[in-house]
Amino acid sequence: MFKRVALMAGLALAGAAAPVLANDMVEMPGHKTVQQQLADAIASPARFFDRRRDKWRHPAQTLEFFRVEPGMTVVDYMPAKGWYTRVLVPYLGEQGRYVGVHPAPNGPKKVSDYFAGQHRSFSAEVGQWSMAGAPISALSSGEMAKTMPGSVDRVLIFREMHNLHGTRILDDELAAIHAALKTDGMLGIVQHRAPASASKSWANGENGYMRQADVIALVEKAGFRLVAASEINANAADPANHKGGVWALPPVWRSADKTMQAIGESDRMTLLFAKR
């Protein structure tokens, strides 16, 4: 189950069906299908405490929708405590590569320090892991763009667009992502979704929520094309108008309002873009 991990530390539309992966349909003797490999990764004992979030985050359906397959090079943007790391590393397998990336902006010191701190924390934590599967790298976005140009199959951004937009570094980060992706590479985004009727000032990222049309426009402006959108991670019970923003909901639970438990995690858009 466990083995050495290589670490390089450094700074469509709604309701669209998940795509069928080409090699899902054929099972060679002694080999598992892609879907079986993904199911095994999700069932890993390393995810014992992560599984309680599966009903809100739908990792199998989400990664299938993003067309992630074993053997790919995948960038997990701002991986936080590694919730998706513990799915992707075993799923990508020894022939794949997992890269946890954090921004390295040349902006205000407060912003730079925040992202640098996240990068140090992730690098230190990953250095103590020994999961079997893809080798793990920890890079800054600048390092990624310089050392991995045109070599990344997928970049995945899970619930972090509001941070990139709110700190005014989104354009630079999308440019770095665009440079790192292969010609046929794709960008997958899951983001807390504000109602279409929400004001632009409320849905600017400071409350954690963004309007879906705004996210699509920002990403397409950076040289991407929307391929599909899905309701995999939608939650109709979330009005997305909480005082204190998305952090009033689990898993953060900043609100003392007991009704938040019935809502669950946030309503989320799930978007897939191709590099133009």
Side-chain angles (χ1 to χ4, degrees):
M1 172 183 169
F2 296 104
K3 65 180 294 181
R4 178 180 61 86
V5 171
L7 172 68
M8 296 190 304
L11 238 138
L13 302 174
V20 176
L21 301 177
N23 51 351
D24 278 352
M25 306 307 294
V26 179
E27 182 176 2
M28 300 298 291
H31 292 271
K32 295 182 178 180
T33 64
V34 169
Q35 287 182 331
Q36 287 173 327
Q37 292 177 68
L38 180 53
D40 287 349
I42 290 171
S44 166
R47 300 193 65 250
F48 180 80
F49 293 105
D50 294 338
R51 291 177 198 156
R52 56 188 173 179
R53 309 258 72 87
D54 286 359
K55 66 179 180 178
W56 304 113
R57 300 181 179 182
H58 311 100
Q61 298 96 317
T62 300
L63 293 179
E64 286 181 355
F65 181 74
F66 290 156
R67 309 179 192 180
V68 177
E69 299 189 46
M72 285 185 168
T73 295
V74 174
V75 166
D76 186 2
Y77 231 72
M78 298 174 64
K81 297 295 184 180
W83 197 90
Y84 259 102
T85 312
R86 290 182 286 276
V87 176
L88 286 165
V89 168
Y91 176 52
L92 295 174
E94 294 181 358
Q95 302 305 311
R97 182 181 177 187
Y98 172 92
V99 187
V101 168
H102 293 87
N106 293 316
K109 186 176 185 300
K110 182 178 180 181
V111 174
S112 298
D113 288 349
Y114 170 74
F115 290 118
Q118 283 204 332
H119 180 75
R120 286 193 299 270
S121 176
F122 178 75
S123 298
E125 188 168 344
V126 165
Q128 300 175 27
W129 294 349
S130 56
M131 288 184 291
I136 301 174
S137 303
L139 302 174
S140 72
S141 54
E143 290 170 328
M144 173 191 68
K146 290 178 181 178
T147 64
M148 304 179 67
S151 66
V152 175
D153 294 291
R154 298 288 182 272
V155 175
L156 308 178
I157 305 177
F158 295 107
R159 306 176 310 280
E160 294 289 357
M161 288 292 286
H162 59 286
N163 282 320
L164 298 174
H165 186 257
T167 53
R168 294 173 174 78
I169 64 170
L170 179 59
D171 290 347
D172 288 343
E173 296 307 309
L174 288 174
I177 290 169
H178 194 277
L181 281 169
K182 294 179 178 178
T183 302
D184 60 350
M186 305 184 89
L187 168 62
I189 294 173
V190 176
Q191 174 56 36
H192 311 295
R193 179 168 51 190
S197 59
S199 68
K200 190 171 184 178
S201 60
W202 193 89
N204 64 0
E206 292 182 3
N207 291 293
Y209 291 98
M210 296 180 70
R211 297 180 302 194
Q212 183 162 323
D214 293 341
V215 172
I216 293 171
L218 287 164
V219 177
E220 289 192 327
K221 178 185 173 184
F224 294 88
R225 170 180 59 85
L226 179 68
V227 173
S230 173
E231 294 298 290
I232 293 168
N233 295 298
N235 180 3
D238 179 21
N241 61 357
H242 314 292
K243 183 179 180 180
V246 72
W247 303 282
L249 294 173
V252 178
W253 289 108
R254 286 184 185 169
S255 173
D257 188 344
K258 300 293 185 181
T259 64
M260 296 299 174
Q261 183 173 4
I263 293 174
E265 295 195 15
S266 65
D267 179 46
R268 293 160 185 168
M269 64 186 88
T270 304
L271 309 172
L272 182 63
F273 295 87
K275 179 176 178 177
R276 282 195 277 118

